[in-house]
Amino acid sequence: MASCIHNSKIDTPRKNPLSCDPNGSQVDNHVCKYRKLCRPPSLADIVSLANTSQNQPKLICKPTAVGCDDEDGHELWLRMKAEAKSDVEQEPILSNFYISSVLSFDSLSSALANHLSVKLSNSSLSRSMLYDLFLGLLTEDQEIMIAVQDDLKAIKERDPACRSYVQCFLNYKGFIACQAHRLAHKLWSMGRKSLALVIQNRVSEVFAVDIHPGAKIGRGILLDHATGVVIGETAVIGNYVSIMHNVTLGGTGKDSGDRHPKIGDGVLVGAGTCVLGNVKIWDGAKIGAGSVVLKEVPPSTTAVGNPAGLVGGKNPIKLDNIPSLTMDQTSHMEWVDYEI
């Protein structure tokens, strides 16, 4: 019996029809592939992979991913890829991360869809499902991609700590959370509210940023650090707004319906600030760190304190003493500081 067993082992070699070598074993073939994949890639490998679609992961082999960004977006994407190659030259240990996140993609939209799907997927939300969902939304609505590009440029321009566009894209959770909100808001506006709320919840869990998908956010947005940012359902944020960490744009708890702040263009909201209720913060205003704003803030003024008042002279002006402004009154007005 022992002899029969021995002969069966040596006399019946198996051929693997899937192997590159028909006479090789499955184990040897896997070892060969493993060694090939685990070899640290050279810069030539990275450039080759970035410029061809061969051997790309299954998730990114989508015809809709190619050419769905506009000309400006394409140029920005080429610059981001150049920055990524420079980073890999400095830190070869990051080569696989940069390949899978940036260099193997043909467009900013496909890379963003992949990056968000990696960050937000879990055991119940598969990466491939989220990728298909996000890429479809980004391809369908080019306004989102324009806002994404403006966000990248705004962060690079306004944040002195931002080294490059690709660093912002990969590592700035305020940027990533904002783009996830844009997609959740798109779903919300399409009537797919259950899915939008699931995306909101995942963003809150992963990034500690809680933006209701019903909130409307403009472009050129900087969420600096972003931890602890809470934005309510009926909030509206204009263009080129900077919001620091631990900011709440919330309701007072006494109202229903349209109950959250309206933030104008070019506003700066300092860290730890609470803006509560359906109040307007007009264009160019600044809110000092730690302030609690319960009343309207006029254009191009600075409000600080709890409750917030306008900065100027020895005594800040209480916002209660300032007449309410309408959009018609501010659209063509020259702002004159209140006398103290």
Side-chain angles (χ1 to χ4, degrees):
M1 181 64 67
S3 176
C4 291
I5 293 173
H6 178 71
N7 289 337
S8 66
K9 290 182 179 179
I10 62 175
D11 295 335
T12 57
R14 292 186 179 182
K15 294 182 179 180
N16 175 22
L18 299 178
S19 173
C20 296
D21 179 5
N23 296 319
S25 68
Q26 181 72 40
V27 173
D28 291 340
N29 192 50
H30 283 177
V31 170
C32 177
K33 289 182 179 179
Y34 177 82
R35 288 174 178 168
K36 182 179 180 181
L37 289 173
C38 292
R39 173 181 59 84
S42 65
L43 184 59
D45 295 333
I46 295 168
V47 172
S48 176
L49 184 56
N51 293 329
T52 66
S53 59
Q54 274 190 324
N55 299 323
Q56 288 183 349
K58 182 178 179 181
L59 279 177
I60 60 178
C61 294
K62 300 281 184 179
T64 54
V66 181
C68 60
D69 296 339
D70 60 19
E71 185 175 348
D72 290 341
H74 183 64
E75 292 201 5
L76 177 61
W77 180 239
L78 292 179
R79 177 167 178 176
M80 290 172 64
K81 293 182 81 169
E83 292 172 347
K85 293 171 187 176
S86 176
D87 286 350
V88 169
E89 287 181 335
Q90 297 177 28
E91 290 289 352
I93 194 173
L94 295 176
S95 57
N96 288 335
F97 172 61
Y98 274 90
I99 288 172
S100 63
S101 301
V102 176
L103 292 172
S104 59
F105 292 92
D106 296 311
S107 65
L108 177 57
S109 54
S110 59
L112 179 60
N114 175 72
H115 197 44
L116 289 173
S117 67
V118 170
K119 294 290 187 181
L120 300 180
S121 61
N122 60 17
S123 59
S124 301
L125 296 170
S126 72
R127 176 185 169 190
S128 59
M129 183 274 287
L130 289 177
Y131 175 83
D132 290 337
L133 172 68
F134 294 156
L135 184 60
L137 295 172
L138 293 171
T139 304
E140 176 185 346
D141 191 342
Q142 286 297 294
E143 290 298 318
I144 297 179
M145 287 308 305
I146 293 173
V148 170
Q149 296 160 34
D150 285 346
D151 289 349
L152 281 168
K153 295 173 183 177
I155 295 169
K156 180 65 168 61
E157 178 182 345
R158 281 184 246 153
D159 186 353
C162 185
R163 294 179 55 251
S164 64
Y165 293 111
V166 75
Q167 286 293 331
C168 172
F169 176 83
L170 293 174
N171 301 320
Y172 279 42
K173 72 174 186 177
F175 168 80
I176 303 170
C178 186
Q179 310 326 311
H181 165 75
R182 296 190 188 283
L183 298 176
H185 179 71
K186 178 67 176 179
L187 292 169
W188 184 268
S189 64
M190 295 167 62
R192 305 176 69 179
K193 296 188 176 182
S194 296
L195 182 54
L197 290 169
V198 169
I199 300 301
Q200 174 204 1
N201 181 62
R202 286 297 298 147
V203 172
S204 179
E205 290 175 339
V206 174
F207 301 117
V209 177
D210 195 350
I211 309 175
H212 193 283
K216 299 177 182 178
I217 297 181
R219 62 183 188 271
I221 303 299
L222 167 61
L223 298 182
D224 193 22
H225 299 287
T227 300
V229 169
V230 177
I231 300 175
E233 177 184 3
T234 60
V236 178
I237 298 174
N239 300 321
Y240 310 108
V241 172
S242 298
I243 299 177
M244 304 298 109
H245 58 280
N246 203 32
V247 166
T248 298
L249 304 181
T252 61
K254 299 178 181 179
D255 300 319
S256 59
D258 192 359
R259 61 197 183 278
H260 295 106
K262 309 299 181 282
I263 309 297
D265 295 345
V267 171
L268 170 63
V269 184
T273 293
C274 292
V275 185
L276 303 179
N278 186 12
V279 298
K280 295 181 177 66
I281 311 300
W282 292 92
D283 295 355
K286 297 180 181 180
I287 312 298
S291 299
V292 177
V293 180
L294 304 174
K295 300 290 182 179
E296 187 172 297
V297 177
S300 303
T301 59
T302 300
V304 297
N306 181 9
L310 299 184
V311 173
K314 297 181 178 178
N315 301 310
I317 299 174
K318 293 183 178 180
L319 297 179
D320 292 347
N321 299 332
I322 298 175
S324 181
L325 300 171
T326 66
M327 185 62 73
D328 291 338
Q329 288 174 309
T330 59
S331 57
H332 302 290
M333 69 179 292
E334 273 187 32
W335 178 250
V336 179
D337 289 333
Y338 287 94
E339 294 183 2
I340 303 297

